[in-house]
Amino acid sequence: MARLVIVSNRVPVPRPRERPQAGGLAVALKEALATREALWFGWSGQTASHTGGSPEIVTVGQTTYATIDLSSEDYRLYYTGFANGMLWPLLHYRMGLAEFRREEWEGYRRVNRAFAHSLTPLLRDDDVIWIHDFHHFPLAAALRAAGAKQRIGFFLHVPFPPLPLFRALPQGNILLRELASCDLIGAQTPSDASNLRDALRGAGFDVPVHPFPIGIEAEEFAREAEKAVRGQDARRLADSLSGRALILGVDRLDYSKGLPQRLRGFAALLRRFPEHRGRVTLLQVAPVSRGDVVQYRALRRELDELAGRINGEHGDIDWVPVRWMTRAVPRATLAGFHRIARVGLVTPMRDGMNLVAKEFVAAQDPADPGALVLSCFAGAADELKGAILVNPHDPDEIAEGLNAALVMPASERRARWTGDIAVLRRNSAAAWAEGFLAALAQIGQDAPRAGGA
Ligand code: GDG
């Protein structure tokens, strides 16, 4: 089997004497990496005096991790600037939050060339290269310019907006041209794939673009949840609820996740459905993310204030309606929290997939599962037909969804959960990675031969 070369902005390099960092792409690619030799290349997460140079190499089993540093200047221009300050809001349909600066655009493209320059000497002729996400739109072209002839696939983890919106990006056609150096492009949903295909075609490129919805290892997460509910943290949480129903939210503190809208929706529940007052608790875990981007700092202040206001207005001497945490919680502990929750509340304004929604479903007790209230703008809404779908722009709709979830009889919760867990087991993380890699291996193989029938 060909060696797999993964490229992503961050690389989960295993650190000796530390517990493995389970999460993100590392979880999704676990199976794929277990079955073949692999090289995982990307940024070390460190800044230094220069970008690039020869990578630092760590090999564990069949996987080699190779990372390079970024200069502080490039970190600011490429990562904080163009990737998080321009592309992230644009791809999440939030042009009002996007800021374009020519020097950041240039920094972004320079860092991608530096990636190609450091990666090229490590490549073998029969490697298969799989590039991940919007940090690296220009990378395939930079690798081709350095002579790479290997098969190159690209997966976009976030949404892709319709063409008129994408056109707001100055020089967007250059990014599309560079992306078109790939042999196969994957997106999360059929509509993201079709938006990206239209943009590429509009710029004159006919690369195959298909949906490959990312999954999770549901059985493994369920086992973790079952174990964690007996653990100390989950027991502390369960005891502290005093019999109240738990509504749980878990998200990076990001404006795409609809957190203010969620808190307003919860406040609307308490106002419009007073029978739930004193009987529910919302726990929102929102670890701070991208704290050096100004929009994220403003969001954090807004949420601190909103949570305080709701508690001030609705709280009682023995009841705090909103528990608000900006610290990260260990993954296994979170699995236990999901299992305790009566309602999973996931309200992104736009989300490529949203793995939290899937993790909530996977963690439930089959005999007495909780209900999921899910934004219709999460990619996961395409698959999780048992969720109560809401439009997060309307707090009243969130409140109605929460009420429906809280009063739903156990038989209906079980019926909805049974359908969703079957989908999750089928569309696993392993199936996602193998599906993409099989499609990439197939490119060019099934083209009609000249003169053939
Ligand atoms: C991007 C796309 C797409 C969250 N808080 C804690 C914690 N998490 C974990 C969750 C989940 C992951 O982080 C977040 O994944 P999401 O999919 O929800 O969202 P993004 O980070 O925005 O991911 C998204 C994804 O890529 C994959 O393609 O689904 O649409 O935006 O696994 O559980 N984990 C721990 N502590 C926390 O406090 N340990």
Side-chain angles (χ1 to χ4, degrees):
M1 195 186 282
R3 183 174 71 160
L4 174 61
V5 177
I6 304 279
V7 186
S8 62
N9 175 57
R10 295 299 290 271
V11 179
V13 182
R15 308 260 172 226
R17 289 187 300 280
E18 267 179 39
R19 281 174 15 124
Q21 286 290 314
L25 205 49
V27 173
L29 290 172
K30 199 168 138 197
E31 285 292 309
L33 298 182
T35 51
R36 45 167 80 66
E37 189 186 359
L39 169 67
W40 193 328
F41 180 87
W43 176 37
S44 63
Q46 309 292 322
T47 53
S49 53
H50 296 286
T51 295
S54 58
E56 190 176 322
I57 308 275
V58 173
T59 300
V60 178
Q62 292 192 98
T63 308
T64 295
Y65 301 86
T67 53
I68 56 170
D69 298 334
L70 292 178
S71 70
S72 323
E73 165 100 336
D74 280 342
Y75 170 78
R76 183 174 63 80
L77 298 171
Y78 146 83
Y79 183 71
T80 310
F82 194 72
N84 287 337
M86 177 70 213
L87 285 177
W88 178 269
L90 171 77
L91 296 172
H92 287 86
Y93 299 58
R94 301 289 285 278
M95 259 327 278
L97 295 173
E99 287 178 7
F100 180 85
R101 289 189 189 87
R102 186 68 74 87
E103 55 164 352
E104 292 175 352
W105 154 256
E106 281 160 5
Y108 171 84
R109 302 189 60 245
R110 183 171 63 244
V111 166
N112 274 281
R113 286 195 299 272
F115 260 57
H117 185 77
S118 297
L119 175 57
T120 300
L122 307 179
L123 293 177
R124 300 178 195 156
D125 289 348
D126 62 345
D127 282 340
V128 170
I129 304 172
W130 190 5
I131 300 171
H132 289 264
D133 231 359
F134 62 96
H135 308 87
H136 299 304
F137 281 130
L139 184 59
L143 287 168
R144 296 275 185 244
K149 303 268 187 308
Q150 293 86 344
R151 249 159 232 256
I152 305 183
F154 180 95
F155 185 76
L156 183 64
H157 289 257
V158 300
F160 196 90
L163 186 53
L165 224 162
F166 183 76
R167 284 226 171 95
L169 176 65
Q171 321 205 42
N173 272 4
I174 295 184
L175 283 193
L176 294 170
R177 187 184 73 216
E178 293 177 332
L179 183 60
S181 290
C182 297
D183 299 295
L184 172 68
I185 297 170
Q188 300 273 25
T189 64
S191 79
D192 293 324
S194 117
N195 287 341
L196 183 46
R197 197 181 304 118
D198 287 352
L200 283 158
R201 291 220 175 118
F205 303 103
D206 201 15
V207 193
V209 186
H210 299 295
F212 295 90
I214 194 168
I216 62 166
E217 289 310 310
E219 319 264 352
E220 201 178 307
F221 201 72
R223 277 196 299 276
E224 240 173 298
E226 212 177 337
K227 195 165 131 212
V229 275
R230 297 191 295 268
Q232 208 191 7
D233 287 339
R235 289 232 302 273
R236 266 173 62 213
L237 172 59
D239 290 347
S240 73
L241 292 171
S242 314
R244 296 183 177 106
L246 176 66
I247 302 172
L248 179 65
V250 176
D251 312 74
R252 281 186 305 100
L253 209 169
D254 192 296
Y255 53 74
S256 68
K257 303 296 182 183
L259 291 165
Q261 289 77 4
R262 185 175 315 176
L263 291 184
R264 283 190 204 106
F266 179 66
L269 172 81
L270 300 178
R271 240 185 349 261
R272 288 191 41 211
F273 301 90
E275 62 275 26
H276 297 301
R277 284 188 204 153
R279 300 219 164 86
V280 293
T281 295
L282 169 64
L283 169 61
Q284 177 63 54
V285 178
V288 173
S289 153
R290 305 176 188 171
D292 41 13
V293 180
V294 56
Q295 284 87 351
Y296 287 72
R297 289 201 295 273
L299 175 69
R300 186 177 179 182
R301 277 195 299 275
E302 180 185 357
L303 289 164
D304 286 344
E305 187 191 320
L306 203 48
R309 180 146 25 101
I310 294 170
N311 284 337
E313 198 174 318
H314 297 277
D316 209 334
I317 49 170
D318 58 355
W319 175 52
V320 180
V322 182
R323 299 185 189 180
W324 165 239
M325 282 175 61
T326 52
R327 241 178 307 134
V329 170
R331 185 173 170 82
T333 309
L334 275 182
F337 290 2
H338 281 304
R339 198 173 173 99
I340 291 171
R342 167 54 74 85
V343 181
L345 184 53
V346 182
T347 58
M349 311 313 283
R350 280 287 154 190
D351 218 327
M353 175 54 64
N354 195 295
L355 295 181
V356 173
K358 294 189 167 183
E359 290 162 356
F360 174 80
V361 171
Q364 296 309 303
D365 175 358
D368 186 23
L372 176 65
V373 176
L374 177 63
S375 162
C376 58
F377 302 122
D382 278 15
E383 289 166 272
L384 301 177
K385 301 295 181 199
I388 298 170
L389 293 189
V390 296
N391 182 330
H393 292 279
D394 181 4
D396 285 302
E397 205 172 311
I398 296 178
E400 287 152 14
L402 282 173
N403 178 59
L406 288 163
V407 303
M408 189 182 286
S411 56
E412 184 177 347
R413 282 186 272 121
R414 275 195 295 271
R416 287 172 180 252
W417 178 82
T418 305
D420 284 350
I421 193 73
V423 172
L424 290 190
R425 288 188 183 132
R426 198 165 53 241
N427 300 351
S428 65
W432 166 74
E434 293 308 333
F436 184 89
L437 291 171
L440 181 57
Q442 202 58 38
I443 296 288
Q445 307 251 318
D446 49 6
R449 271 162 292 153

